[in-house]
Amino acid sequence: MNEASKASHIAANIKRLLLIVLGSCIFAANIKTLVHAGGLLPGGFTGLTLLIQESFSHFFGISIPFSLINFTLNAIPAVISFRFIGRRYTLYSVLMIVLSGLLTDFLPAYSITDDILLSAVFGGCINALAISFCLFAGASSGGSDFIAIFISEKYGRDAWNYILAGNIVILGIAGWLFGWEKALYSILFQFTTTQLLNYLYRRYQKMTLFVITNHTHEVFEVIRINTNHGATVFHGYGCYNNAERDLVYSVVSGDEVRRVVPKIKQVDPAAFINVVRSKQVSGRFYLRPND
């Protein structure tokens, strides 16, 4: 590895660490402010941790630290992630879990608003922002995120809505134990988080590119170099101009579209590009490794 590559590698690791620290701080601060003020359960292993905390406090009068429960719950998913997803990915995720857990224990609770609806909506948005920082850093907030990433990696499916369904079950238990009003607001919190995450983080979404062009080779090279995906060319006929045209067909990840489309327009300003969401892809599809 030359000096330039080493410097680039160090810079990338520093960026990952900064994103994880920032995400951890936002995550913990959100729990100690909006989530705490609204009495909400965020869903996932964080929500399960808070549910266990509340249960022990309510029924047995025992106060258990957030970090102790959260670390225990994340142990098995972390081992699965280390084996099947990636070592560095898992280590950065564990750093996120440890930082956010300790910060949640040590930060003082502070009430920003008494309105539960505001806490649910804006708390969900902030929660999605914190998780997205971790995802952009090549890590996760642990727990159900490990499971979602594992499903997406192994089966090529966008798993966030499945995780939402699992969270609703957890929140249903919370509603049965402690009352339905806050449980329903917690479902709104989790729904807001899930939908915003789907918008912010698109790595596991599949997008189909239809590019009508006369610069077929140049367009394909842009797709190949920037995404490592292949393409298929269909020869056709443009009815409007009465001229032959090529259709370049390719499927890329959702987070690659914003990078590829402007570069296609650079090599062919006259290209007609149609981007379509693909719900499921069967066959070989390259996915950048987490490590």
Side-chain angles (χ1 to χ4, degrees), residues 16-28 96 99 130 133-134:
R16 292 180 78 172
L17 286 172
L18 290 175
L19 285 172
I20 289 170
V21 171
L22 180 60
S24 301
C25 292
I26 295 173
F27 189 87
M96 161 66 181
L99 282 177
F133 279 138
C134 298

Side-chain angles (χ1 to χ4, degrees), residues 88-206:
R88 281 184 293 177
Y89 171 87
T90 304
L91 292 175
Y92 279 115
S93 300
V94 169
L95 175 61
M96 161 66 181
I97 294 167
V98 171
L99 282 177
S100 60
L102 293 176
L103 286 170
T104 300
D105 280 334
F106 290 110
L107 286 177
Y110 180 77
S111 179
I112 295 177
T113 176
D114 294 327
D115 192 312
I116 303 179
L117 180 60
L118 290 177
S119 295
V121 174
F122 287 97
C125 291
I126 295 171
N127 191 50
L129 183 64
I131 294 173
S132 66
F133 279 138
C134 298
L135 293 173
F136 288 138
S140 77
S141 59
S144 58
D145 289 350
F146 281 145
I147 299 170
I149 300 299
F150 174 72
I151 293 173
S152 299
E153 292 273 347
K154 189 171 181 64
Y155 300 104
R157 292 177 177 270
D158 190 349
W160 298 112
N161 287 326
Y162 297 109
I163 298 302
L164 174 61
N167 289 334
I168 290 175
V169 173
I170 295 174
L171 295 171
I173 296 172
W176 178 64
L177 291 174
F178 302 111
W180 289 104
E181 181 176 331
K182 290 184 179 180
L184 293 174
Y185 277 117
S186 296
I187 292 174
L188 177 60
F189 173 97
Q190 189 60 36
F191 178 80
T192 304
T193 296
T194 303
Q195 296 309 308
L196 187 55
L197 264 179
N198 275 328
Y199 176 77
L200 293 174
Y201 190 71
R202 302 183 178 185
R203 171 181 167 86
Y204 295 104
Q205 296 177 14
K206 308 296 187 297

